[in-house]
Amino acid sequence: MNRATQLGVMFCALFAASTLAQDSDYSQASHGGVGIFQTPTARMAPSGNFSLNYNDLDEYRFWSASIQLFPWLETTVRYTDVRTRLYSPYPEFSGDQTLKDKGIDVKLRLWQESYYLPQVSVGWRDFGGTGFFESEYITASKRVGPFDLHLGMGWGYLGSGGNISNPFCELSDGYCQRPGGFSGRGGMIDYQRFYKGPASVFAGLEYQTPWEPLRLKVEYEGNNYTKDRARGIVQDSKINYGLVYSYDSLDFHLSYQRGNTLAFGVSVGSNFNTIKTPKFDRPPPEVNAAGLSAKRFKRTTLRNQLYYRAGFVTTGIKLDGDELIIRGQQQAFREFDVSIERVGRVLANFAPDKVSRYRIILEELEMPITEVVLQADEFRAYARYESLDQPVSSVYVRQTPDMDDIDWQFTTLNHGFGYSFEPFWMQMLGNPEAFFMYQGGILSSLSYQFSEPWSATGVIKTTLLENFDKFNFKVDTQNSTLPRVRTFSREYVTRSYVTLDKLFLNYRERLQKDVYAQAYGGYLETMFAGVGGEVLYRPLDSRFAIGADINYVRQRDYNSEYKLFDYSVVTGFVSLYWEPEFFDDSLITISAGRYLAKDVGVNIDVGRRFDSGIIVGAYAALSNASADEYGEGSFTKGFYVKIPFDLMSFKSAKGMGQIPWIPLARDGGQMLKRPVYLHGVTSEREKPRQYYK
Amino acid sequence: MFRFILLSLVLSSLIGCSGTLYVYKENLKLLFKSPAVVSPDRAYVAASQYDIIQVNIADKQAIMALAFVEQGQDKFISADNGFVIFANGRIVRTAGFIDNLLHVHNLTADPLKQSFSVLGGRRWQYVEQTNTLTAKVNSAQFNIEGQRVMTLLNSELTTVLLSETVHPENEGSFVNFYWFDETSGELIKTKQHPANMTDAVTVTFLSRVNRILSVIPGESK
Amino acid sequence: MRLIKAVSSFFIISLSAFNSAAAYINVDINGKLHVFNEPIKLADALSHIEHPELVYWPDAGLFLASEQTVQQKHALMTRLINQLAGLPAQSSEKAQLADFIAWLSGIRVARRIDLPVEFERARHVRKSNPLLQEGLFYLRASYVQPQVLLLGAVTKYQADISADSIAQAHELHHNFAADAADNSWAYWSVSGAEWHKVGIAYWNKQQVELAAGAMLYVPFSSSVLGGDSEEINQQILMLLRNWVR
């Protein structure tokens, strides 16, 4: 791009629009999630909102992340630091680290506000953990001009003050007392406690001052702090009040709680639907009135132009009378419509004029995934703004590529080396030694493609940042009756800065029009080596896919790059992939089979993709390993966030980075991290999202 | 033996230039290659086929060329087909930017239609509309600030500075500046705050300056 | 024989030539019909507008006559007439709805082309300058009037507003039909292409400043349109998108 054009592009592109003032910008409560201070409200943040909060309340410190997955569902995860207590009575185990707790909150909106009715939501706080703040509540909010009024009823922590009698207790005696303790080893959802015990009413008021960044809040809470984990909290007043000051995407909170404690906090907000980075890609080429004459058509020129102007790596070209067929892989543009538009424009300029139809076969790992057919004259009219049809999806047709072998006139060497670098980040939270242990670095991957369909790949993990020297023990002290398939994680991580992460052979093939298969063998992941295979049935543009995988693996020796332990297992799953219609842009994966520790069960993974491409998901693995066998946490669960690379880049790019967040990894319900997932490889089979320029 | 294989894999991956790495490299290039802010010199302006203006916004600069002069409006175009349209020296419309100034209401009452010398103390009200914000009402008052000597295209020019203090409803205030050449009364430089831009826009009418300098006795062409 | 062949070929050729020549492009520019012999670019059509410096470009639009759009209007009117039947006779709601149906019958609709009409860019940028081929086009680029148009469940059809001031959406409610109007939400637009929801009640008031040339659609409440009122109001908005003023 020459200097002038670059300047020109930057000139127009950098004056980002200021967004319409968000009238529904509700502030976060001390524990995270939309609310006042101690009490939640029925309000919801706009869909896709993500807020990171820090609140300091003297005895407690809360770090929380709240995300509005859908307009009616708010989820919050939280780490609590109880300053006044130690993590354990054993300094040799946990040093002087203070008591910590993790918690998850969920809030569901029952109905929206209208002229006469308030907005009503129900919620569960701190469930599925050791429940320092476990509560259930129902709350209503109504707005009158600049005032937002709230009224709610809470059970558990929110209701411990007992300022009213529990209505359920009136109905049944079983609800009058709240059972203590936790089921399993913590980490289970303790249904048997819900709505039992004392209940309280709480209320709140928010006032939007005439000065836009400032809001005042006051609440009457139903808690009495007598059963708090941080012992000795004195409550001089049931009224808490304070303010919120907004500056850009930051919210500053200041409050006076319990009549004696000054609390402060800060929240950083963003929205996964609207986040984007301006792109400085070369603009799409303008399309000429006609293609090239037959004499001037050159396959090498076409291939080069497809790469430089459309990010398309061509592996095959065939010109057959009035049809031009190309196959290859899109390397640069993540959105399907953008990719097809660019490829089409290059074809319109560099294909022979007599061609009336373009067929583009999109591949991944040398397997044909989707085929797109463009009628040359329709597309040319669209690209030259001579037709009034918009968008580009009105001029292309997606279909399943044929099984027939095409007699390619031009193919690249379909064997050769490939390289890639990817950063990685892994974190373990809530360890006894140090609260937050992390490891980050680069995964360098080198692969060699033999003539299809075989390839060999090696991945080296280079650690650049880590704080594992904080580990006191190498062996997990909690005894587990299950085979230790994942609890040696520290040993694997601390062996060396440079380790061989993967080294495997991969075979893949499309068996039928809609059936893909692969097999792999070698060192498949950090902790396991072996052989395995997968089959996936995935029709084009379908909401469903079904697959099955089976693997025979042996555990890798954590003291060596290549040796193996004796432990071996046959692990495999049947998986159903479903993109439900009623949730926008979500994927539910249900896998049933045998886990690494030889336990049998079902894994449920739910992921939501936002407009920016960011994917937030959670999974739970239910297995027949009992809570006792499993250990602390009772069952495997975790969250993950996948961020597309081009959100952090000025150029379009494909590829995503994943940040997993596993509260505590034990041995039950653990799946093998297979080196290649066919569902990801065939992602072009899903119906493309509407792309709005 | 194994270590050797490991080492060669590490080394070969360092040489690589795959998709992700390419993107990182390109990004570094974009970040470090910020445009050097260099004003064009007189020879360049004189040689230009079209009337040009220099537009500065924050630390960015671009040259725009006159595309149309129609019905009292001067319409300048940038390299990426962005338009900035002036009426009597005021930016009244833009096109092609991420957010555009769509319309300015009540332009028939714009005091800038008259000669700058009578504008001291004049007030007026107008409404701006952009793509993203709803309409914005502005109350403005002019004030003649007096003579200013400016150096443009390496020469000195005597100008009269006119300021326009604008109070948008329910917001702070800002000041637009207009520098008129004392002798000819032409607007040669202005600094304005159209509603679609977060930063002020400074526009220097380079070709007009060149023409004015050409008729001053003693100045070389 | 050869002569007959020659003459008939001549006729056939000239007949087809005549047929293709008969494909005129008709463009109704601000109410005046222009006929062109061959496809023209939007920029050329725009050059026929007088005093473009006075035009309110934000609400300029290009439409293509479409039988389908007209049928959609008739279907919507039928649906509204059916709703009328269910309302109590002599009620103000019925009168309001009847007024609106009468207004609907008088408006012209055509398929709006999803392309902002940008006067300068159409003359300089290919993307903003499509070729108009085949059919009857409506090009609207009119001067701004000092009023906000009020549509739907309203008692007055415009609110006067001078060129140097604005009106808050929620302050226009004295023009709304008290019984028939939705008391919480309204929709506003500058271009006619995009309609934005705005809260106008005591509990959801939003600052939306409307300048001269804007439009406000006040939806009918569910007491008038029944259980499907949400859907019917959306259909009305779709039709307003295609309204050629």
Side-chain angles (χ1 to χ4, degrees), chain A residues 563-668:
Chain A
K563 291 213 199 104
L564 303 174
F565 281 149
D566 286 333
Y567 179 75
S568 67
V569 60
V570 173
T571 168
F573 286 85
V574 171
S575 302
L576 174 70
Y577 305 90
W578 175 36
E579 289 169 62
E581 247 176 50
F582 41 85
F583 292 143
D584 343 290
D585 233 353
S586 310
L587 174 67
I588 300 179
T589 310
I590 304 174
S591 310
R594 193 179 199 222
Y595 292 103
L596 281 170
K598 298 185 178 151
D599 49 334
V600 169
V602 174
N603 194 74
I604 304 174
D605 181 316
V606 180
R608 159 98 212 259
R609 179 174 52 197
F610 296 94
D611 290 346
S612 58
I614 295 179
I615 297 177
V616 173
Y619 59 91
L622 309 160
S623 81
N624 66 354
S626 71
D628 268 333
E629 284 175 306
Y630 185 89
E632 189 195 334
S634 304
F635 67 98
T636 296
K637 50 200 175 289
F639 311 100
Y640 55 87
V641 176
K642 291 192 199 168
I643 303 179
F645 285 137
D646 75 356
L647 262 191
M648 298 173 288
S649 145
F650 290 121
K651 290 252 181 182
S652 286
K654 285 184 89 164
M656 294 194 117
Q658 176 159 341
I659 303 177
W661 190 93
I662 303 161
L664 206 60
R666 314 292 317 175
D667 299 308

Side-chain angles (χ1 to χ4, degrees), chain A residues 189-449:
Chain A
I189 298 177
D190 293 309
Y191 307 103
Q192 76 281 5
R193 290 220 287 276
F194 283 176
Y195 305 107
K196 291 187 180 156
S200 287
V201 159
F202 55 84
L205 174 75
E206 286 179 85
Y207 171 59
Q208 169 65 59
T209 63
W211 184 38
E212 220 220 298
L214 184 68
R215 273 165 289 177
L216 304 175
K217 310 203 278 192
V218 61
E219 72 182 358
Y220 172 82
E221 65 167 320
N223 186 22
N224 67 4
Y225 296 95
T226 51
K227 298 200 191 69
D228 267 58
R229 291 303 169 96
R231 298 180 188 125
I233 297 186
V234 176
Q235 186 185 40
D236 286 326
S237 163
K238 284 188 177 266
I239 296 185
N240 306 323
Y241 52 88
L243 55 88
V244 177
Y245 171 71
S246 303
Y247 177 72
D248 204 4
S249 52
L250 292 168
D251 271 0
F252 296 95
H253 314 272
L254 191 65
S255 57
Y256 195 63
Q257 299 193 23
R258 305 197 290 269
N260 53 35
T261 310
L262 197 64
F264 64 89
V266 66
S267 302
V268 181
S270 132
N271 188 304
F272 286 162
N273 277 324
T274 54
I275 260 186
K276 60 171 127 192
T277 333
K279 294 281 172 279
F280 295 125
D281 304 308
R282 287 181 78 166
E286 289 298 335
V287 166
N288 304 329
L292 297 177
S293 65
K295 257 190 297 199
R296 292 184 56 202
F297 168 64
K298 288 208 167 15
R299 289 191 283 261
T300 10
T301 319
L302 177 63
R303 202 165 59 95
N304 289 338
Q305 288 294 322
L306 280 170
Y307 181 69
Y308 287 110
R309 301 307 289 272
F312 191 78
V313 173
T314 320
T315 55
I317 301 179
K318 179 178 166 106
L319 179 61
D320 189 9
D322 68 345
E323 191 177 77
L324 178 68
I325 314 174
I326 61 169
R327 74 157 204 240
Q329 191 172 18
Q330 172 58 248
Q331 298 274 5
F333 299 97
R334 205 161 31 93
E335 296 281 349
F336 185 81
D337 281 5
V338 174
S339 157
I340 296 301
E341 168 140 10
R342 288 208 175 223
V343 170
R345 280 167 178 269
V346 172
L347 290 176
N349 279 343
F350 291 95
D353 195 44
K354 64 179 164 96
V355 170
S356 68
R357 192 160 73 236
Y358 308 124
R359 285 172 55 189
I360 305 163
I361 301 178
L362 296 158
E363 296 183 321
E364 196 67 40
L365 296 187
E366 295 77 41
M367 294 186 292
I369 310 287
T370 318
E371 184 174 318
V372 175
V373 179
L374 298 170
Q375 298 300 330
D377 51 357
E378 249 180 51
F379 183 81
R380 195 180 299 279
Y382 158 81
R384 284 173 59 77
Y385 320 109
E386 285 168 11
S387 70
L388 296 166
D389 288 316
Q390 299 196 9
V392 68
S393 45
S394 56
V395 293
Y396 67 69
V397 171
R398 276 164 58 95
Q399 59 192 41
T400 323
D402 281 331
M403 289 299 297
D404 317 316
D405 262 328
I406 296 175
D407 191 12
W408 299 100
Q409 291 160 342
F410 172 96
T411 52
T412 50
L413 294 167
N414 50 5
H415 54 270
F417 280 100
Y419 316 83
S420 82
F421 287 132
E422 260 172 35
F424 77 90
W425 177 261
M426 187 267 288
Q427 58 207 12
M428 292 200 284
L429 294 150
N431 306 292
E433 291 93 336
F435 184 48
F436 178 67
M437 326 254 336
Y438 56 81
Q439 182 195 23
I442 309 247
L443 290 167
S444 322
S445 158
L446 172 67
S447 63
Y448 185 79
Q449 173 73 31

